[in-house]
Amino acid sequence: MDEIEIPQYFICPISLQIMKDPVTAVTGITYDRESIEQWLKTSKHTTCPVTKQALPSDSDLTPNHTLWRLIQAWSAANASNGMDLIPTPKTPVSKSRVVKLIRDFGVPSLYMNALKKMEVLAEDNERKRKCLEEAGVPKAVILLLITCHRQGKISCLEQALRILHLIWTPCSEIKALVNQNCDFIDCLTWILLCETENPVIVTIHVMVILKRVIEVTNSRLLEKLKPEFFKQMLRVLKSKTSQQATKSALHILIQTCQWGRNKSKMMDANAIFELIEFELEKPEKHVTELIINLLAHLCSCADGRAQFLGHAGSIAMVAKRILKVSPATDDRAVQILKSISKYAATKHVLVEMLKVGAVTKLCMVMQADCAAYVKEKARGILRLHSNLWNGSPCIAVYLLTRPREAHGGVEEGKK
């Protein structure tokens, strides 16, 4: 194949490979479609690579059918020398075609076929996904899902979710639609309860979309989330459908717990118990980081601290995660111990902190390469209960290894 002389005009000026889908730009230069589209997408200056003339990213690229036929004929003539035939280029999707498919959503006998065609387009390439987005498909699919929820239809859910998963964009139109009412969040919560043909795939799509929806939802709606919403998030967490669904559920709970009475709704759903049980199974580090973060938020309220202490393994679990996962986890775990020791520090709790190694870990934090503000939190906890903990071996070791810092911290509590 190296001995074959390839006609120069068959070669793309960008990729320097034989063109599979030659298109001519408004500057008159022909490129392979994939190469020029990638150039226009990533180049800081939208200019023609050959002529250096202005070439807007949305400029027309005209298929060069004559050149494609010449390349195809030449490839066929050289097949015996190892040349492969150039496949027929796929017809670029047009906005008018997509708009027609959207109109078919309103026809009961046509909407399933329209969804299947859109799904194929969305899975094909970035260019077609962009076309679907610009034609208004995200909004149309959201409205279709809401209609299915109201009518109790489940036949098209997987296709619609797949499309939205691929082409979701947080544009102003979508943000406005999501924030008009709670219908879409209620719809997605309902889908999690539906008996679909591929429940794992559907759950993953729903959770990823829900995470994106929550990110653009205003505080007014976040404060109105229903108890059922949090029950479903915890059910997904407990079911361990997939890592992607698990992480999405945790992100959603972290983002929503800060609004209104959502912490109380999570308490009612037994969130802290489920989170601790999940963490005791030793998930991957990023999941642990999210769980400890969420627990820190929940322990900022009295009910959360009560539920946390109601689990026999809670303090030990948090103590063991310190200095073993990430700096962010160290910060959140120490924050949990700070909340507990400051607002729920019964003698029983303080003795347990000592017994399960929480006090030892706080001393280790003071000596480890942790952020100054994390050390300050640990120092504050040790100062607060120095009278009870001063006789423990870990405190004694801490005093011997860091005498000045310790006397300015733990010992200072005696004064």
Side-chain angles (χ1 to χ4, degrees):
M1 185 172 171
D2 293 337
E3 299 174 359
I4 302 174
E5 184 176 349
I6 303 172
Q8 187 62 35
Y9 54 90
F10 288 0
I11 303 295
C12 172
I14 298 175
S15 68
L16 302 181
Q17 302 294 320
I18 296 176
M19 289 181 276
K20 297 178 180 179
D21 185 5
V23 293
T24 303
V26 293
T27 57
I29 306 299
T30 299
Y31 302 93
D32 188 58
R33 181 185 292 278
E34 184 178 349
S35 298
I36 188 62
E37 286 183 346
Q38 186 66 19
W39 168 272
L40 294 174
K41 180 181 176 181
T42 59
S43 178
K44 294 180 181 178
H45 307 290
T46 50
T47 57
C48 174
V50 174
T51 68
K52 307 304 179 185
Q53 292 176 286
L55 189 61
S57 58
D58 58 351
S59 61
D60 290 332
L61 298 171
T62 306
N64 193 328
H65 298 299
T66 300
L67 181 56
W68 178 82
R69 283 193 288 269
L70 288 171
I71 295 173
Q72 184 76 318
W74 177 84
S75 299
N78 288 278
S80 59
N81 295 319
M83 285 300 305
D84 296 326
L85 288 178
I86 303 299
T88 303
K90 295 180 180 179
T91 305
V93 62
S94 64
K95 189 172 180 179
S96 59
R97 180 187 171 196
V98 177
V99 170
K100 182 181 181 303
L101 291 174
I102 291 174
R103 291 198 194 102
D104 289 346
F105 282 1
V107 183
S109 60
L110 298 177
Y111 79 93
M112 275 300 297
N113 188 46
L115 274 174
K116 289 176 182 177
K117 288 180 179 178
M118 279 188 186
E119 186 179 12
V120 171
L121 293 173
E123 290 176 337
D124 200 4
N125 57 48
E126 183 63 30
R127 173 167 47 87
K128 292 182 180 179
R129 285 192 285 273
K130 187 68 175 176
C131 182
L132 292 174
E133 176 192 325
E134 292 173 350
V137 171
K139 180 180 179 180
V141 173
I142 288 173
L143 293 174
L144 177 64
L145 285 169
I146 292 173
T147 300
C148 289
H149 174 214
R150 290 171 179 168
Q151 298 177 355
K153 293 181 179 178
I154 65 171
S155 57
C156 68
L157 295 181
E158 187 174 338
Q159 286 80 12
L161 289 167
R162 172 69 174 161
I163 294 167
L164 197 57
H165 184 195
L166 290 169
I167 65 171
W168 171 272
T169 174
C171 63
S172 56
E173 183 181 39
I174 296 302
K175 289 180 181 178
L177 179 61
V178 167
N179 286 300
Q180 283 173 1
N181 49 60
C182 281
D183 284 357
F184 190 44
I185 293 177
D186 290 344
C187 166
L188 293 171
T189 308
W190 165 74
I191 293 173
L192 289 172
L193 292 167
C194 293
E195 294 184 6
T196 53
E197 188 175 342
N198 297 300
V200 173
I201 294 173
V202 168
T203 298
I204 292 171
H205 289 338
V206 169
M207 295 308 298
V208 172
I209 294 168
L210 253 178
K211 178 178 175 290
R212 295 169 179 171
V213 168
I214 294 298
E215 287 171 353
V216 301
T217 301
N218 61 41
S219 58
R220 180 181 60 83
L221 288 186
L222 291 178
E223 291 172 354
K224 294 181 179 179
L225 291 172
K226 299 174 182 178
E228 183 61 31
F229 173 85
F230 297 104
K231 290 178 183 177
Q232 290 307 312
M233 294 304 100
L234 291 168
R235 187 183 68 81
V236 170
L237 196 64
K238 192 174 180 179
S239 68
K240 300 179 181 65
T241 303
S242 74
Q243 285 284 64
Q244 193 173 22
T246 294
K247 291 176 184 177
S248 294
L250 288 167
H251 277 292
I252 290 167
L253 291 170
I254 290 169
Q255 190 151 351
T256 56
C257 77
Q258 304 170 56
W259 302 100
R261 295 187 61 258
N262 289 343
K263 284 190 182 76
S264 296
K265 295 170 189 175
M266 292 183 195
M267 297 301 102
D268 293 340
N270 209 22
I272 286 185
F273 180 87
E274 298 296 348
L275 289 168
I276 294 172
E277 287 294 306
F278 192 103
E279 179 55 35
L280 287 173
E281 295 182 14
K282 298 181 180 179
E284 68 165 71
K285 286 188 175 182
H286 184 56
V287 172
T288 292
E289 190 172 300
L290 293 172
I291 289 174
I292 299 297
N293 187 0
L294 180 53
L295 285 172
H297 282 295
L298 297 178
C299 285
S300 66
C301 66
D303 288 346
R305 292 188 290 273
Q307 267 199 26
F308 180 83
L309 293 172
H311 192 293
S314 58
I315 296 176
M317 179 275 289
V318 169
K320 287 179 180 178
R321 300 304 180 267
I322 296 175
L323 302 179
K324 287 189 176 181
V325 181
S326 68
T329 301
D330 295 340
D331 175 35
R332 298 288 79 199
V334 172
Q335 181 61 41
I336 293 171
L337 296 180
K338 179 180 177 180
S339 297
I340 297 303
S341 63
K342 187 173 182 180
Y343 300 109
T346 64
K347 185 174 181 179
H348 171 77
V349 169
L350 296 176
V351 169
E352 184 178 356
M353 288 180 69
L354 190 61
K355 188 167 79 171
V356 301
V359 178
T360 301
K361 276 296 179 73
L362 292 171
C363 293
M364 291 172 68
V365 166
M366 296 296 296
Q367 299 173 65
D369 184 22
C370 294
Y373 66 91
V374 177
K375 290 188 176 186
E376 187 56 37
K377 286 182 187 179
R379 182 184 292 111
I381 299 169
L382 293 171
R383 282 175 176 170
L384 192 61
H385 301 293
S386 59
N387 290 336
L388 181 65
W389 292 335
N390 253 350
S392 67
C394 60
I395 293 291
V397 171
Y398 171 60
L399 291 173
L400 287 171
T401 55
R402 299 294 294 276
R404 289 186 181 179
E405 187 174 319
H407 285 289
V410 176
E411 288 299 317
E412 190 178 306
K414 285 185 174 182
K415 298 178 182 179

